[in-house]
Structure formats: structure tokens, C-alpha cells
Amino acid sequence: MTTLPDDTTTTATVEYAAEQPARLEWAKHAPEVYKAMIRLETAARQGLDHTLYELVKIRASQINHCAFCIDMHTKDALADGESVERIVQLSAWEESRHFYTEKELAALELTEAVTVLTDGFVPDEVYAKAAHHFEEAELAQLIAAITVINAWNRFGVTCRMAPGHYQPGQYK
């Protein structure tokens, strides 16, 4: 409801676009692949800071335009105490560096390099920066986490999984 200057009240109906149905419920039709992805996800997150892990998943999902994963990981991050401000600024992290630690910035830069791969490789300077902030085992886990979210994004985008229905922690 909107109150107008003359103290009258009006209601406006907003009609949103229709939700597109999923193309394929891939997990239902390839349950062993889905189970393997869950195991891979569980293994990839071991030893990584949870906040960093969620930021990486959100950023890769933004790059890949995976609305389902953006919805999921944003909700999980918020439920775990992440600030709205840091999530909102994530798509422009290079201009919003002061919202993140140097370690998070190195992880975000590596996430972009691994996700995009436009030149067919991860630049040495990006890798070196990440290697400076992460011990080798943690760096290996980070690379695994980036790889796994990119795989999830490919399923989500290809099968057109609809955002908006996920509840925080639903798949934990």
C-alpha cells in the first residue's frame, strides 16, 4: 500500500514475469552423478574458511550467471552472518577492495581467473598472489572449491534451475 500526500491509500499490483520451468531435473535422472558431486563438494570445502568459501561460490556464480546458485549461496552466507554490504559489493570487488581482506581478494582474483579462463590459463601473477596468502594444502582446497562451484553452475545454468525457492541450509 502507498499513502498519498492527501492521506488516501492506494494499492498497486505489480505483475512479475513468469518463472521459467526447469529444463531438466538432472539430479533425478543422474543420481549417481549428483551423489558424486555432493561428495566432491564435501571434500573441496575441507580446511577452508567458511566465509571465504561462500564468497568464492557467490562470485563464480555471478560470473557464470547461475541465478540458482547466487540465490542459494547468498542466502547461506547471510544466514551464517555475512553482511549484506559485502555481498552486494562482491560483483564489483575490484572497486570495493576495502570491504575484503587481502586473502579474500587473492581468492576472488583466483576465482575469476579459474572461472573465466579466457586466455586458456591462470596468469602467473594471480596464482602467485594466491600462493602468498594460502598454504599449499589450503590453496589446493581453494582451487578444488572453485572448480566444484563452476561444475554446479554448469548444471544450474544448462538445466535452468529456478532461483527463489531455496531455504538457507537446505542442502547442508
Side-chain angles (χ1 to χ4, degrees):
M1 288 196 173
T2 305
T3 304
L4 301 175
D6 64 359
D7 290 332
T8 61
T9 304
T10 183
T11 58
T13 303
V14 176
E15 198 167 319
Y16 293 98
E19 181 178 300
Q20 293 184 329
R23 288 181 175 149
L24 176 70
E25 293 181 53
W26 76 269
K28 178 176 148 184
H29 298 289
E32 292 307 313
V33 175
Y34 178 75
K35 290 175 192 173
M37 285 295 296
I38 294 295
R39 289 190 303 274
L40 188 57
E41 170 86 19
T42 300
R45 76 171 144 225
Q46 298 301 314
L48 287 179
D49 174 75
H50 186 70
T51 299
L52 177 92
Y53 181 65
E54 289 297 339
L55 291 174
V56 163
K57 291 194 295 186
I58 294 167
R59 185 64 193 128
S61 299
Q62 289 172 336
I63 294 165
N64 291 321
H65 304 282
C66 185
F68 181 84
C69 291
I70 293 169
D71 179 58
M72 176 192 299
H73 299 300
T74 298
K75 286 175 178 175
D76 282 345
L78 288 169
D80 289 341
E82 183 57 83
S83 74
V84 171
E85 193 168 46
R86 280 172 36 104
I87 292 172
V88 168
Q89 293 300 319
L90 195 52
S91 65
W93 66 268
E94 290 176 300
E95 291 79 29
S96 304
R97 298 176 70 81
H98 59 286
F99 287 97
Y100 308 100
T101 67
E102 290 297 322
K103 187 173 185 175
E104 289 169 338
L105 291 168
L108 292 172
E109 192 170 1
L110 184 63
T111 298
E112 291 197 3
V114 171
T115 299
V116 178
L117 288 176
T118 55
D119 295 327
F121 60 92
V122 174
D124 290 340
E125 62 274 7
V126 171
Y127 186 87
K129 193 181 299 179
H132 174 75
H133 290 282
F134 293 88
E135 297 292 327
E136 285 186 343
E138 190 180 20
L139 181 57
Q141 291 299 128
L142 176 60
I143 293 166
I146 295 166
T147 302
V148 171
I149 189 57
N150 274 280
W152 283 119
N153 291 163
R154 269 73 178 160
F155 286 117
V157 171
T158 303
C159 297
R160 196 187 288 139
M161 296 172 67
H165 305 286
Y166 179 79
Q167 298 299 313
Q170 182 176 338
Y171 295 128
K172 288 185 178 182

